[in-house]
Amino acid sequence: MAWRLEKKQAVRGLSRLLLASVAGGVLSLGGFGTQAYAQAPSAVLLEHVRLFDGTGTAEQDDMAVLVQGPRIISVGHSGHVKAPKGAQRIDLSGKTLIPGLITDHSHVGVVSGTSVGAENFTAPVIKAALDQYERYGVTTVTALGLTKSPLFDDLRRAQHADGATGADLFGVDQGIGVPGGMPPEGMVKVGKDQIFRPATVAEAQQAVRTMASEHTDLVKLWVDDFRNGVASQKPLPVMKPEIWQAAITEAHNQKLRVAVHIHDLDYGKRLVAAGADIIAHGVRDEPVDGPFVTALKDRGVWYIPTISLDEATYLFAEQPEILNDPVLKAGLNADLQKQFSDPAWRQKVAASPLAKASHAAVAMNQKNLLTLYQAGVKIGFGTDSGAAPVRIPGFAEHRELRLLVEAGLTPLQALTLATSQAAALLNLSDRGVIAPGKRADFVILEADPAENIAAVDQIAAVWRGGVRAAGPLVPR
């Protein structure tokens, strides 16, 4: 993805402070908080490790990966990769190395604890979320809208810098919703400066031009009545076709791609016909059909299932024993712990019409994902984590991998979606695979994910930009 940098004084100062802090071994960036990082030597040879390189090919045993600075220098069998004099050697016998996970659909600065609203779009809240993603092995995050400029733009640039801590950050400036409609103002509660809600074609075109001037990575549209499969739910107003067409056309004029939030097959078809580049949620109301599959393939449209979005609606209410899972506890704050432990909350959620509809949505989403995958449609990886308190950054991505495997993918196929395919959706050629010249973003696992996808929970260490950044996820 081409990255266009503005030479703003504030950004230069932010980047200098970030790099100076990392050089000292500690990040201390104003409200970002403080986090110690291991100081990387000039070169590190990771050897005797089982390697999944992200390309979809079989794992290889007894491999070595040479890292110098933020990049991978060499990959080969142990004993055949030459390390420079003085390089640190790390024996990873029995462990598995995979690329850092990449989410194509998440959100930052919307949620803090159990609260949702504009007050959460702050540097400390966002940085804490990026640090949490990193601890779970998610090294690149795409915030698909509901952001605020210039703060989001400054944070994004800072996260791109070599030596930055926490997950790298890409995303959508603001995004385009509907007056009185999606995303629902009463639920999301973001500020008016975090989303555009154009009522006319001219307003839609201007919204896209504003986003382009802020160097947004993508344009995001919400096209959904928000009934979520609940027949008794009153529908919200839906974006008019002339508005979405104007936004898509203007985005393409600005050389920007468009990601669209949908729930139903009908809107999916209509938006693909209008030129949408990315379907940002799976179709959940009915089985996908031949014309839709053909349209996705012929137009090269990407499809992000986000299966765990609906599972999160009922998971913590219906499975209270999951609160004992140390992998969940690693990302669970006190407010959420209290909410999930409340029997009244669990009973209310489990008995709601939305919970029943969400079960059906997960099953339909999985069925459609497998159909599209087997048909050769381009599939990305995302969860909508960070958009609601129950969609927990990092943990949601681990759940998504399980749900992809439950849908019929092999563990390595699911991991391929979350690494090289997710990078390809973003047009990022520098990550998502373990190969010479690529970013040294990777995760070291205690177990083999090819045998059981749950191995992704057993994180021994996370490396981000050639530096050991976090781990283990669960203290041993």
Side-chain angles (χ1 to χ4, degrees):
M1 176 181 297
W3 180 250
R4 298 167 288 179
L5 294 175
E6 287 183 325
K7 299 290 187 178
K8 292 183 179 179
Q9 185 65 36
V11 175
R12 291 200 300 268
L14 186 64
S15 298
R16 283 197 298 268
L17 181 55
L18 174 64
L19 293 172
S21 300
V22 172
V26 175
L27 171 67
S28 181
L29 189 53
F32 278 20
T34 301
Q35 182 175 356
Y37 270 57
Q39 190 68 32
S42 58
V44 180
L45 182 65
L46 306 159
E47 52 190 345
H48 306 302
V49 71
R50 182 185 302 108
L51 176 66
F52 171 69
D53 66 7
T55 65
T57 58
E59 295 173 325
Q60 299 181 76
D61 291 324
D62 198 23
M63 296 294 287
V65 178
L66 178 64
V67 174
Q68 190 159 21
R71 301 284 166 177
I72 296 169
I73 302 302
S74 182
V75 179
H77 289 282
S78 295
H80 296 277
V81 175
K82 294 184 178 180
K85 185 177 180 180
Q88 180 185 3
R89 291 176 177 267
I90 301 177
D91 188 334
L92 295 178
S93 297
K95 294 180 171 57
T96 303
L97 189 150
I98 67 173
L101 305 180
I102 298 170
T103 170
D104 295 320
H105 187 168
S106 295
H107 293 273
V108 297
V110 177
V111 171
S112 180
T114 57
S115 75
V116 179
E119 68 277 7
N120 297 322
F121 205 88
T122 66
V125 170
I126 294 170
K127 188 57 172 63
L130 296 175
D131 289 345
Q132 179 162 311
Y133 278 115
E134 184 182 70
R135 290 195 297 274
Y136 279 90
V138 182
T139 54
T140 300
V141 170
T142 309
L144 218 55
L146 305 178
T147 61
K148 183 187 300 184
S149 294
L151 177 57
F152 179 68
D153 311 314
D154 293 347
L155 296 179
R156 183 172 46 182
R157 293 182 179 100
Q159 291 307 112
H160 289 340
D162 287 343
T165 63
D168 198 359
L169 181 62
F170 294 84
V172 172
D173 283 277
Q174 294 95 19
I176 299 176
V178 185
M182 284 290 290
E185 297 179 50
M187 174 179 155
V188 179
K189 300 177 184 176
V190 298
K192 294 185 182 300
D193 54 355
Q194 290 178 253
I195 188 168
F196 297 106
R197 297 184 186 272
T200 67
V201 164
E203 289 176 354
Q205 293 168 330
Q206 183 55 51
V208 172
R209 287 193 286 269
T210 299
M211 294 165 69
S213 72
E214 295 163 345
H215 306 301
T216 189
D217 294 308
L218 300 162
V219 170
K220 167 76 174 290
L221 308 179
W222 282 264
V223 184
D224 183 11
D225 65 10
F226 202 58
R227 295 176 72 188
N228 291 318
V230 180
S232 61
Q233 180 71 30
K234 181 180 178 181
L236 294 181
V238 179
M239 186 179 292
K240 297 177 180 177
E242 59 267 28
I243 300 296
W244 78 51
Q245 188 63 73
I248 292 172
T249 300
E250 183 61 30
H252 290 169
N253 288 341
Q254 298 287 339
K255 310 301 182 186
L256 292 167
R257 294 180 299 153
V258 179
V260 183
H261 166 116
I262 59 99
H263 181 282
D264 298 346
L265 177 61
D266 177 60
Y267 285 121
K269 287 182 174 180
R270 295 170 69 183
L271 269 298
V272 169
D277 304 285
I278 302 164
I279 299 299
H281 291 290
V283 171
R284 289 161 278 170
D285 66 325
E286 60 180 302
V288 295
D289 57 17
F292 184 62
V293 174
T294 299
L296 291 174
K297 292 184 67 176
D298 287 351
R299 295 171 178 263
V301 176
W302 284 91
Y303 182 94
I304 310 172
T306 67
I307 305 168
S308 61
L309 177 159
D310 291 293
E311 186 202 46
T313 300
Y314 56 80
L315 176 65
F316 307 105
E318 295 182 3
Q319 298 183 30
E321 67 277 6
I322 201 170
L323 292 180
N324 298 320
D325 181 359
V327 178
L328 171 61
K329 288 181 179 180
L332 200 61
N333 60 52
D335 289 341
L336 275 177
Q337 175 79 36
K338 181 178 179 181
Q339 182 182 81
F340 293 165
S341 300
D342 182 1
W345 177 85
R346 293 201 304 264
Q347 183 178 12
K348 179 180 179 181
V349 170
S352 69
L354 181 59
K356 181 179 180 180
S358 295
H359 275 283
V362 167
M364 184 60 69
N365 204 348
Q366 289 178 311
K367 177 180 179 179
N368 285 336
L369 173 276
L370 186 60
T371 298
L372 295 173
Y373 184 89
Q374 292 176 338
V377 171
K378 296 193 293 187
I379 310 293
F381 181 81
T383 64
D384 208 29
S385 55
V390 295
R391 302 171 199 165
I392 300 168
F395 181 78
E397 284 66 35
H398 286 219
R399 293 297 305 182
E400 185 76 11
L401 287 168
R402 282 176 165 81
L403 292 166
L404 291 171
V405 172
E406 288 179 11
L409 273 60
T410 69
L412 295 188
Q413 287 172 337
L415 280 173
T416 301
L417 297 189
T419 53
S420 60
Q421 284 295 99
L425 183 148
L426 295 171
N427 288 337
L428 294 174
S429 60
D430 65 342
R431 67 196 73 193
V433 298
I434 304 300
K438 305 299 183 183
R439 286 172 56 94
D441 294 354
F442 50 81
V443 184
I444 299 169
L445 303 175
E446 296 284 1
D448 183 0
E451 296 179 357
N452 186 343
I453 193 61
V456 297
D457 292 344
Q458 300 181 48
I459 293 177
V462 179
W463 288 61
R464 205 292 218 184
V467 176
R468 177 169 174 164
L473 176 63
V474 178
R476 294 186 295 273

